[in-house]
């Protein structure tokens, strides 16, 4: 049986340096050093933190926003780009595990972008990457969906860790796939979404999803959400002069931690920039499983049979 660790974790709520990979990576490295100096062994960054979220898909029509797709592509990364190396080096120097969202360019197919979370070990190694399976709503104008090959749980130094991006934390089957692989630490990262319908409370929706996963799986969920900076607002005011009121809408973000009972622990943030911390003891995942262990005794696998295609999907397969 693997060791059940105790450790401190940090979650970041802030904005990227919009359309600037190098400056955003530098900002992330500074944060990694800060949280490490405060004792954190794991830090979670927001969705597509490197280095822009395509808000134009929501506030402009598809024709108006199309030109920004090219700009986003040119400010996106391959996972082995030299611009990302400081992240790996800083993780190694600080002995801190890092999960961070990036806009990832496909290494073969030009123009294809993925919403990707990188899982970086405390030794500075890329343990893996998760590509968001289904872009949400207007995001389909920007990202291509990933495949089942990235639905993995990683044996990190703090414990078995999995991650999903934003709305796919609503996907019960994706979440179960991670739970069934022994996930005990879940990273759920988001972007601030003030452009959602007015009846939709984004901060509450994030907490509901995180609480559901923590309670169902009897694990810890770490949530990291980005904010919308003054820089971003001014960027879009050139295209949509009335966007400020929309972007400054309250209750658009939540960053924090949920325990195996689905309860918020440690510090949390709504709307404001900052870094929050919590102490995690994985032995707290044990007792709740006596009541509801949906990957063990509290299920009927003679009735239910979940099958997951974990093969990478290719545009072409050659056959001799």
């Amino acid at each position: 049986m693997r060791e059940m660790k105790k450790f401190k974790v940090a979650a970041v709520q802030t904005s990227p340096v919009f359309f600037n990979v190098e400056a955003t990576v530098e900002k992330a490295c500074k944060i990694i050093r800060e949280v490490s100096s405060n004792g954190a062994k794991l830090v979670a960054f927001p969705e597509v933190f490197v280095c822009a979220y395509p808000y134009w898909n929501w506030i402009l029509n598809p024709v108006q926003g199309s030109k920004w797709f090219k700009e986003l592509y040119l400010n996106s990364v391959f996972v082995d780009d030299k611009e990302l190396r400081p992240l790996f080096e800083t993780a190694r120097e600080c002995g801190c595990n890092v999960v961070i969202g990036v806009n990832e360019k496909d290494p073969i197919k030009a123009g294809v972008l993925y919403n990707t979370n990188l899982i970086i070990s405390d030794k500075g190694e890329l343990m893996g990457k998760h590509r968001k399976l289904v872009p949400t709503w207007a995001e389909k104008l920007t990202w291509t969906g990933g495949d089942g090959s990235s639905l993995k749980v990683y044996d990190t130094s703090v414990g078995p860790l999995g991650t999903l991006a934003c709305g796919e934390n609503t996907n019960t089957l994706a979440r179960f796939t991670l739970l069934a692989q022994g996930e005990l630490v879940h990273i759920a990262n988001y972007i601030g979404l003030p452009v959602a319908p007015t009846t939709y409370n984004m901060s509450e929706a994030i907490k509901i999803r995180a609480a559901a996963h923590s309670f169902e799986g009897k694990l810890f969920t770490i949530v990291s959400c980005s904010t919308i900076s003054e820089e971003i607002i001014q960027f879009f005011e050139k295209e949509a002069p009335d966007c400020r009121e929309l972007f400054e809408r309250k209750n658009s973000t939540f960053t924090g931690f949920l325990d195996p009972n689905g309860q918020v622990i440690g510090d949390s943030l709504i709307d404001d920039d900052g870094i929050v911390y919590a102490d995690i003891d994985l032995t707290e995942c044990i007792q709740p499983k006596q009541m509801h262990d949906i990957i063990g005794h509290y299920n009927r696998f003679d009735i239910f049979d979940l099958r997951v295609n974990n093969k990478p999907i290719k545009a072409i397969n050659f056959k001799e």
Side-chain angles (χ1 to χ4, degrees):
M1 179 180 177
R2 60 169 61 91
E3 183 182 355
M4 309 290 274
K5 299 289 184 72
K6 298 179 182 180
F7 57 95
K8 179 177 281 189
V9 61
V12 179
Q13 182 158 289
T14 191
S15 57
V17 183
F18 208 62
F19 274 162
N20 191 323
V21 171
E22 185 176 356
T24 300
V25 168
E26 183 179 345
K27 181 175 183 176
C29 289
K30 183 179 179 181
I31 291 171
I32 295 169
R33 295 187 188 98
E34 178 180 344
V35 302
S36 175
S37 70
N38 289 325
K41 297 299 181 183
L42 168 66
V43 57
F45 284 90
E47 179 184 17
V48 291
F49 189 66
V50 183
C51 61
Y53 179 81
Y55 285 108
W56 52 86
N57 289 347
W58 301 88
I59 64 173
L60 303 174
N61 68 48
V63 175
Q64 291 171 323
S66 181
K67 64 180 179 181
W68 297 114
F69 176 78
K70 178 181 178 181
E71 291 300 315
L72 181 64
Y73 185 84
L74 295 175
N75 286 277
S76 297
V77 296
F78 298 108
V79 294
D80 57 356
D81 273 351
K82 63 180 182 181
E83 288 85 358
L84 293 180
R85 288 177 193 165
L87 282 175
F88 298 91
E89 293 167 0
T90 304
R92 177 182 56 78
E93 291 167 4
C94 294
C96 188
N97 298 276
V98 177
V99 177
I100 187 168
V102 303
N103 285 292
E104 181 202 358
K105 293 187 283 191
D106 189 284
I108 297 174
K109 296 171 281 188
V112 171
L113 284 177
Y114 302 101
N115 178 330
T116 299
N117 283 341
L118 303 182
I119 301 92
I120 303 170
S121 77
D122 56 358
K123 293 182 171 56
E125 300 167 344
L126 180 63
M127 299 191 77
K129 61 184 180 182
H130 170 66
R131 292 171 172 170
K132 189 173 184 178
L133 298 177
V134 181
T136 305
W137 203 352
E139 294 173 356
K140 293 179 175 67
L141 292 168
T142 295
W143 293 312
T144 296
D147 56 46
S149 67
S150 73
L151 274 176
K152 293 181 179 179
V153 170
Y154 298 92
D155 189 16
T156 72
S157 61
V158 295
L161 180 149
T163 182
L164 294 172
C166 201
E168 65 179 348
N169 285 282
T170 311
N171 189 324
T172 305
L173 300 184
R175 294 192 294 104
F176 185 85
T177 299
L178 297 180
L179 295 177
Q181 295 176 71
E183 182 188 45
L184 292 179
V185 182
H186 182 75
I187 308 295
N189 57 2
Y190 291 79
I191 46 86
L193 194 65
V195 293
T198 55
T199 55
Y200 190 82
N201 186 316
M202 183 67 173
S203 61
E204 286 301 313
I206 292 172
K207 281 191 283 185
I208 288 169
R209 280 179 277 210
H213 191 56
S214 280
F215 186 82
E216 290 171 4
K218 312 307 179 191
L219 49 64
F220 288 90
T221 296
I222 296 98
V223 180
S224 172
C225 191
S226 65
T227 56
I228 299 178
S229 64
E230 177 64 23
E231 172 199 25
I232 294 173
I233 293 174
Q234 290 183 11
F235 177 91
F236 283 105
E237 279 184 321
K238 300 171 187 176
E239 301 282 332
D242 58 347
C243 71
R244 178 174 291 274
E245 182 179 356
L246 186 65
F247 280 150
E248 291 181 344
R249 177 178 159 192
K250 299 300 182 182
N251 294 313
S252 294
T253 72
F254 170 82
T255 290
F257 315 90
L258 291 97
D259 71 6
N261 293 313
Q263 300 171 142
V264 175
I265 60 170
D267 298 321
S268 57
L269 290 165
I270 294 177
D271 296 331
D272 297 325
D273 278 42
I275 303 170
V276 288
Y277 298 87
D279 293 311
I280 285 179
D281 180 355
L282 292 186
T283 63
E284 293 178 14
C285 300
I286 298 172
Q287 191 276 331
K289 283 181 172 286
Q290 187 177 24
M291 295 180 287
H292 315 117
D293 185 0
I294 63 171
I295 61 169
H297 67 82
Y298 206 70
N299 218 321
R300 288 289 303 276
F301 299 114
D302 57 330
I303 299 173
F304 304 113
D305 182 10
L306 175 62
R307 303 184 186 192
V308 179
N309 179 5
N310 63 1
K311 294 181 180 179
I313 296 175
K314 301 177 181 179
I316 187 171
N317 291 286
F318 292 98
K319 183 178 181 181
E320 294 185 5

